[in-house]
Amino acid sequence: MEKRELLLALRREGKLKGHKPCFVYLKPNLGKIYNEGSAKFIMSLKDDKLYFQRLTLFNGLRESDDFSLNCKRFKEYNLIDKTISMTLILYDINGLFIEINYKARRKDSFTTEDNIVRILDELKKSCNLKEAKYDRSE
């Protein structure tokens, strides 16, 4: 199933938790916000909360692995360009961070890239999120 079809089906079924859905990839890192195994998620935003809905191998949802993060905890962000992918890093007030990876510059990644920008714009307004002066995750 293509990404667009999957999103339409989830919307029809009322299973999509937020707005501006993005296909992202999370893996454990030193930031200590996400410590589970590597996995694909649909990330979306609603009421200053980022929702992460875990995708299975065949693009079903594994609701037991879903989680959400209150956006008000984040104060800074970085966008790192890795040529064929991008990483959005959100830093909280305690020095913890989450790395949100997503594909870039591909025909099937345009919607995700656009929605990441829209989510960032909304968080800049609602949560006073600022761009970090340097990458603090290294």
Side-chain angles (χ1 to χ4, degrees):
M1 181 181 300
E2 287 189 29
K3 293 177 179 181
R4 176 175 277 194
E5 293 171 355
L6 174 62
L7 287 178
L8 289 173
L10 292 173
R11 281 191 178 119
R12 263 193 312 269
E13 296 167 10
K15 291 185 177 181
L16 196 59
K17 292 184 179 178
H19 308 287
K20 302 172 186 73
C22 309
F23 288 89
V24 300
Y25 183 81
L26 300 179
K27 55 187 177 184
N29 61 44
L30 300 173
K32 298 182 182 176
I33 292 178
Y34 178 78
N35 296 314
E36 303 301 319
S38 298
K40 294 179 184 177
F41 290 86
I42 295 176
M43 179 182 78
S44 56
L45 177 70
K46 184 177 179 184
D47 300 327
D48 289 333
K49 274 195 168 184
L50 282 175
Y51 291 94
F52 293 86
Q53 295 178 266
R54 174 116 184 234
L55 291 170
T56 64
L57 183 61
F58 299 106
N59 289 332
L61 292 179
R62 186 182 302 164
E63 294 179 23
S64 61
D65 291 342
D66 292 357
F67 68 98
S68 65
L69 298 171
N70 186 333
C71 295
K72 295 202 183 285
R73 77 184 278 185
F74 298 111
K75 297 300 174 200
E76 293 182 316
Y77 76 94
N78 261 334
L79 269 175
I80 299 173
D81 189 339
K82 298 181 177 178
T83 308
I84 61 170
S85 67
M86 298 285 289
T87 301
L88 169 64
I89 305 174
L90 297 173
Y91 303 99
D92 77 1
I93 57 176
N94 299 315
L96 305 177
F97 61 90
I98 185 169
E99 293 180 350
I100 302 166
N101 303 287
Y102 58 98
K103 294 179 182 174
R105 294 175 201 78
R106 295 173 40 149
K107 182 180 177 182
D108 67 342
S109 67
F110 174 76
T111 304
T112 289
E113 292 177 78
D114 187 50
N115 283 342
I116 293 276
V117 169
R118 291 171 184 241
I119 287 172
L120 278 174
D121 287 344
E122 193 165 322
L123 295 181
K124 287 175 189 176
K125 293 175 190 168
S126 66
C127 301
N128 200 26
L129 189 69
K130 304 280 186 207
E131 186 172 4
K133 304 248 186 275
Y134 56 93
D135 182 5
R136 302 182 331 186
S137 65
E138 295 179 349

